[in-house]
Each structure stands twice: as C-alpha cells, then as structure tokens.
Amino acid sequence: CIASSPDGLTIISGSDDSTIIVWFANTGKEPPTATGHSSTVNSISFTNDGKYILSGSNDETVRLHDISTGNEKLRLFGHTGPVRSVAVTRSDSKIISGGEDSTVRVWELPTGTNCFILNVDSGPVTGLTVTPDDKKIISGSKAVTVWDITTGQQLLKITEGMSNEVRVASDPTSQKIITGSWDETIRVWDINTGTQLCKFDEDQDNARVIFSVAVSPDGNSIVSACGENPIFLGSAAKQDYVRLWDVKTGALHRLSGHSSDVNCAVFTTDENPMLITGSDDRSIRIW
C-alpha cells in the first residue's frame, strides 16, 4: 500500500514485512521511520496536516506515527480481525478503520476514543474512504454502504454489480462514488440516490480483479492498478498495469514499466498532480 503527503513531496509505503518506509520524491529512500506492527501493513494514509502516518495491519491494530520522529502517538485496539483499510477526515478530527471483522470503527483524534462501531452485514470491509466534505463514510465489502459520519446512520446501500473485495473512492465534489470490484468493472454512482451513472469495463482479453481505485483531484480521471506490465490510466487490478480512464469520454490510456502485479495507485493532491504506483516488483513509480 502507498500514500502521498498533501504537498506531494513525501510518499509512504507499507509492506508484508510489517514496516512503513518514508520516501522523498526528489531524493529517494529514507530508512524506515515507523515500526511496531507485527504483521502485514494493509493500508496507510497521511493526516491532512502532513505530520502523522495512519496505518492498519493484519495484527488487528490501527496506529498513528509522527512522521518526523517515527514515534508512535496512538495505538487503537478493537478490531477482531485484520484491519484492511484506514482513512482520516480532512479536518484531522476523526480516524476511520474497516476490517475483516465486518465493522467500520470511528475514532476521535487526538484522543483515540472510539465514537461508534458500524456493523456491516455484507462481509469483511475491504475498501474505505471519507467524502471530501467530511460528512459521509463510504465502505466497500460485497456491497457499498454510505454512512453519516456524525450519527453512524446508514444512508445508502448498493449491491448491484458487486462481488468480493470492493474498493471505493469519492469524487472531489462528494457527490459520486467510484467502485472497483472483482466483477472486473469500474462504476460511478450517485451518492444520494445510488443510481449508476456510468460503467467502465476491463477489456475482455485482459480482464482482471481490480485491487484499488483513485480519482484525480479535478475529478476527470479514474485510476486503477492491474497486473500485466503496461499501465492504463484509470484503474488498478491484478495485471501488471495501471489504467487511467477519462470520465467524460471513456478514453483509456496505458503506461508501461512495472514487471509484476501493480497493487496500488494513488494521485497526489497538490497543484500539479502526479500518479504514484506500487507493485510486486518491489518498486514505486511516479508518473
């Protein structure tokens, strides 16, 4: 898993060896600055002030580390299975975590107090995001569920076209949900009605499971990572490439470079966005 700092200058990666490594985009690799997890790091994120690293692991914990010192600031217990996804609100006031125990948990920052637990009836939580307006949580499992971040009320549930391991993202307006699923499609939904707005199909000759999805800061492109060597601008799946889809025209672009499965793809959110990808070839690439 990978994440980019708000200014786009720092990249963090989490791996199977339980470490989190900090990379500076203009100089390269730094030594690991965050240790403590005892198993695979499945999900990482920066707080929006760029000061802390949030991580979730197979060791069933959520942790917060100071990026400048590597010191652990918070360790959150409660999940009874691997933590698959973590997120933080734009205001840096809440941490959200989702796990294989089929729960979404909301925690206060900086205290770590658990606000409430959301029970997901559609299986393990494999994807999670917070809308940019900080009002809603979107979780992915065998369905997509939208929750009110203040009350925990379920606002919407989408089951159409879903299968295992659904990944989710929100567009910059907080009005659309983007999903990537094991049915090998990327779909865009209205967050208020659940209406499907459009669908992008993986090409039939090279269709694969989609492992991550992300949206460009302007909302015009969707990216996913795949596993076949080339990289398509648009989605991320088990195929060695990343796909980038133009939301308005449906045009598909392809990038090449990785030599093994591409597991994650994210955009930076600074003024000149870049695409960052991570792969089983043990490399991180900036496009």
Side-chain angles (χ1 to χ4, degrees):
C1 52
I2 54 176
S4 170
S5 62
D7 61 11
L9 297 178
T10 307
I11 301 165
I12 49 176
S13 62
S15 66
D16 291 346
D17 65 4
S18 77
T19 62
I20 297 170
I21 298 177
V22 178
W23 312 74
F24 294 103
N26 56 349
T27 61
K29 176 182 171 183
E30 285 288 306
T33 61
T35 58
H37 283 298
S38 59
S39 189
T40 300
V41 178
N42 294 313
S43 181
I44 51 178
S45 179
F46 276 96
T47 55
N48 287 283
D49 61 11
K51 295 180 179 179
Y52 299 98
I53 299 169
L54 177 66
S55 58
S57 168
N58 278 358
D59 66 11
E60 304 181 359
T61 67
V62 177
R63 306 190 189 213
L64 191 73
H65 287 86
D66 187 311
I67 193 169
S68 62
T69 65
N71 293 335
E72 183 179 296
K73 308 299 288 186
L74 277 178
R75 186 183 302 187
L76 306 178
F77 297 95
H79 283 286
T80 57
V83 180
R84 296 289 302 275
S85 191
V86 294
V88 64
T89 57
R90 289 283 181 97
S91 62
D92 286 336
S93 62
K94 289 183 174 66
I95 291 171
I96 321 296
S97 60
E100 290 190 10
D101 58 1
S102 300
T103 68
V104 173
R105 297 172 187 253
V106 181
W107 318 79
E108 288 284 353
L109 268 178
T111 63
T113 301
N114 183 231
C115 302
F116 47 79
I117 301 171
L118 307 175
N119 292 301
V120 179
D121 61 9
S122 50
V125 178
T126 54
L128 190 69
T129 193
V130 179
T131 55
D133 61 9
D134 276 358
K135 293 182 179 180
K136 297 173 182 176
I137 300 166
I138 305 169
S139 62
S141 50
K142 292 181 181 178
V144 171
T145 309
V146 181
W147 314 83
D148 185 292
I149 199 170
T150 302
T151 66
Q153 178 185 359
Q154 181 178 307
L155 303 175
L156 181 71
K157 185 176 181 180
I158 304 170
T159 59
E160 177 188 351
M162 302 297 168
S163 57
N164 294 335
E165 301 279 341
V166 175
R167 312 301 184 178
V168 295
S170 173
D171 83 316
T173 69
S174 302
Q175 296 303 305
K176 298 175 184 176
I177 302 168
I178 294 83
T179 62
S181 173
W182 279 19
D183 71 349
E184 300 168 355
T185 65
I186 296 168
R187 302 173 190 244
V188 181
W189 313 82
D190 184 293
I191 198 171
N192 298 304
T193 66
T195 302
Q196 181 177 297
L197 303 177
C198 59
K199 181 175 76 169
F200 302 101
D201 290 289
E202 298 289 316
D203 60 273
Q204 294 304 307
D205 292 337
N206 295 297
R208 295 291 189 277
V209 173
I210 296 171
F211 286 153
S212 73
V213 290
V215 184
S216 60
D218 61 10
N220 291 330
S221 300
I222 300 171
V223 66
S224 74
C226 314
E228 256 189 47
N229 286 356
I231 290 183
F232 282 107
L233 293 178
S235 67
K238 184 82 172 170
Q239 225 179 27
D240 300 0
Y241 56 74
V242 176
R243 296 178 174 182
L244 184 64
W245 308 84
D246 186 296
V247 174
K248 294 180 180 179
T249 67
L252 179 63
H253 303 278
R254 186 176 188 171
L255 302 177
S256 299
H258 284 296
S259 60
S260 187
D261 291 352
V262 183
N263 298 313
C264 44
V266 297
F267 284 102
T268 61
T269 57
D270 54 323
E271 292 183 359
N272 299 298
M274 296 177 290
L275 176 64
I276 304 170
T277 58
S279 168
D280 281 351
D281 65 10
R282 302 179 66 86
S283 73
I284 294 173
R285 295 175 184 252
I286 302 173
W287 311 84

